Amino acid sequence: MSKKKQGLNTICTHVGEIKDKQFKGAVSPIYLSTSYEFDGVDVKRYPRYFNTPNQEFLAKKIAALEHTEAAMIFSSGMAAISHMFLAFLQKGDHIVVQNTLYGGTSNFIREEFHKYGIDYTFTNGYAVSDFEAAIQSNTKLIHIETPSNPLLTITDIKGVADLAKSKGIVTTIDNTFASPVNQNPIDFGIDIVMHSATKYLGGHSDISAGAVASSVAHMDRIWNVSKNLGGNLSDMTVWMLERSMKTLALRVKAQNKNARKLAKFLDKHEDVSKVYYPGLKSHPEHLLAKAQMKGYGGMLSFELRKDIDAMAFMKQLNLIKPSMSLAGVESTMLLPSKTSHSLLTQEQRDAVGISDQLIRFSVGIETFRDLKIDIEHAIINTKTTSFA
């Protein structure tokens, strides 16, 4: 059976596994060596060259999941995105960047690009027309993120890809929030896909990693930069990531189901002023999300009424963890204004709609009823304490 005809769970479980030919073990062996033979071999292997056995084979799984020819694994999501940018941008080039996206990416662009002589423009919005308006004669790359962190905005992937292709511009996307289970941007014309593999690909809050997937030609270009910058991942962590990805589809589908139920619950709650989730029919890009996503994801954000202290609310949670990062099997919440987007100024956060009341909710695989009760009790306890 060809890989293209294999089911999603089969790809997650079997593609990219290393056969244990010596002992016939059921899981991939770990190759921890940092030194390999150089004479009479087809591949000269070295960890910083991203081609140790575990790195090489896990890349095959990621490529299969994202429908690409090749992939690479990095030490973090920021290592992945920074290496990707620097492979396609040089002094005098210009990049168009979506205005609603992960704060770490925004900060990297604002803090580092001027050192390389790279110009950038953040769009005014995230419609295709906003990207077109920002293009300049020296634009070499357009970067998008959909669903975006933390406001869950939805960008027209095919629309941006078609625009870029008409002008000879490379397109990149942060597909972390969707995961390959819910969205495959390559199928809509995007050139390069990246992930913070710390999130859904890892899925257990115990791995820091990043991934980039694209054509062989694009990945060769990224590799030429990455081997010099040294953002490779240890093979022990590569092995852990390959193990975790075996359950990727099962985990994400369970998180999708919980998130959709919780979004509907919060949307009707009298103490919640707004819910951001593309699976809600009230979401402004619901139909677009339905057209380009296979599932609406396990991420949502919401705002409590202004008279309810958001931080106090999270301290009242018992089951849901007030915690950094996202996409683990356990449910977590955080305030973007104090974590993921804290590096932005208040003015920058206000400009993209990130209020101090905004709570980002990474929904886990727990029983829906238990999560609902935890939220209800936290709200009641916060109100009782506040008005006592």
Side-chain angles (χ1 to χ4, degrees):
M1 181 184 289
S2 69
K3 292 177 184 177
K4 288 186 177 179
K5 293 182 180 179
Q6 289 178 339
L8 182 59
N9 284 318
T10 304
I11 293 172
C12 289
T13 305
H14 292 292
V15 173
E17 64 181 348
I18 301 175
K19 300 294 184 182
D20 183 358
K21 295 180 180 180
Q22 184 176 4
F23 298 108
K24 311 299 181 184
V27 300
S28 298
I30 309 173
Y31 292 88
L32 295 176
S33 179
T34 58
S35 182
Y36 291 84
E37 188 171 355
F38 69 90
D39 186 37
V41 296
D42 294 331
V43 180
K44 292 181 174 63
R45 298 186 186 277
Y46 187 61
R48 185 167 53 81
Y49 293 166
F50 297 82
N51 63 0
T52 58
N54 292 99
Q55 287 175 305
E56 177 187 334
F57 278 77
L58 178 54
K60 297 178 189 294
K61 188 190 296 288
I62 293 169
L65 286 168
E66 281 293 13
H67 306 170
T68 63
E69 295 176 341
M72 287 172 61
I73 301 98
F74 295 84
S75 57
S76 69
M78 282 309 302
I81 202 166
S82 58
H83 288 54
M84 178 180 74
F85 283 161
L86 294 177
F88 286 87
L89 296 168
Q90 58 185 358
K91 184 177 180 180
D93 288 345
H94 175 260
I95 178 176
V96 174
V97 188
Q98 183 175 315
N99 67 333
T100 53
L101 80 168
Y102 172 54
T105 303
S106 299
N107 189 64
F108 171 71
I109 291 169
R110 291 187 170 99
E111 291 288 324
E112 303 297 331
F113 274 16
H114 71 92
K115 301 175 185 177
Y116 296 91
I118 299 170
D119 294 327
Y120 58 88
T121 300
F122 285 93
T123 59
N124 290 324
Y126 48 93
V128 175
S129 58
D130 292 307
F131 290 92
E132 187 169 18
I135 291 174
Q136 299 179 9
S137 60
N138 59 336
T139 301
K140 302 297 182 183
L141 194 149
I142 295 176
H143 179 69
I144 66 174
E145 181 179 306
T146 180
S148 70
N149 180 2
L151 295 173
L152 286 300
T153 61
I154 303 296
T155 303
D156 184 345
I157 299 174
K158 186 177 185 304
V160 172
D162 288 348
L163 168 66
K165 280 181 168 47
S166 71
K167 298 180 181 296
I169 299 171
V170 174
T171 49
T172 60
I173 185 172
D174 186 333
N175 202 35
T176 300
F177 262 34
S179 88
V181 176
N182 290 324
Q183 184 171 272
N184 296 115
I186 294 293
D187 295 346
F188 294 92
I190 291 293
D191 295 307
I192 306 169
V193 180
M194 66 76 53
H195 289 268
S196 172
T198 309
K199 313 306 191 296
Y200 286 107
L201 301 190
H204 294 80
S205 304
D206 57 6
I207 292 170
S208 173
V212 178
S214 187
S215 65
V216 169
H218 283 331
M219 293 311 304
D220 282 347
R221 187 164 173 174
I222 294 170
W223 179 79
N224 278 326
V225 170
S226 299
K227 73 181 191 296
N228 295 325
L229 297 179
N232 61 286
L233 192 60
S234 76
D235 284 295
M236 182 67 196
T237 309
V238 172
W239 182 88
M240 289 177 65
L241 181 56
E242 194 265 334
R243 173 216 60 187
S244 296
M245 288 181 64
K246 291 182 179 183
T247 60
L248 173 65
L250 297 175
R251 289 186 279 105
V252 170
K253 287 180 179 179
Q255 288 163 311
N256 287 351
K257 184 177 179 180
N258 266 350
R260 195 168 187 182
K261 288 182 178 179
L262 286 163
K264 290 179 178 179
F265 157 67
L266 290 168
D267 196 41
K268 295 178 181 178
H269 201 289
E270 63 179 7
D271 293 311
V272 175
S273 61
K274 193 167 186 179
V275 178
Y276 303 84
Y277 186 67
L280 292 175
K281 291 182 179 179
S282 58
H283 190 285
E285 294 93 41
H286 171 69
L287 293 180
L288 177 59
K290 187 176 181 180
Q292 64 189 29
M293 299 182 75
K294 302 165 190 172
Y296 297 112
M299 296 299 303
L300 64 93
S301 292
F302 64 96
E303 294 180 7
L304 292 168
R305 277 186 1 218
K306 290 185 178 181
D307 59 340
I308 301 176
D309 187 285
M311 183 62 79
F313 158 76
M314 287 199 294
K315 289 180 179 180
Q316 293 291 338
L317 294 166
N318 292 313
L319 185 64
I320 301 167
K321 301 178 185 297
S323 178
M324 296 277 284
S325 200
L326 58 97
V329 291
E330 69 287 338
S331 293
T332 62
M333 289 185 185
L334 59 72
L335 294 178
S337 62
K338 296 187 179 298
T339 54
S340 63
H341 290 69
S342 62
L343 295 175
L344 302 184
T345 65
Q346 184 69 54
E347 184 180 5
Q348 289 168 341
R349 288 195 295 270
D350 290 343
V352 294
I354 298 173
S355 73
D356 291 341
Q357 287 294 98
L358 183 70
I359 296 172
R360 192 185 72 186
F361 187 3
S362 173
V363 180
I365 64 171
E366 302 96 337
T367 301
F368 163 71
R369 178 177 174 273
D370 296 331
L371 295 171
K372 178 183 174 183
I373 290 172
D374 196 31
I375 294 169
E376 287 177 328
H377 285 176
I379 291 176
I380 291 170
N381 291 339
T382 304
K383 291 167 67 176
T384 302
T385 304
S386 299
F387 302 141

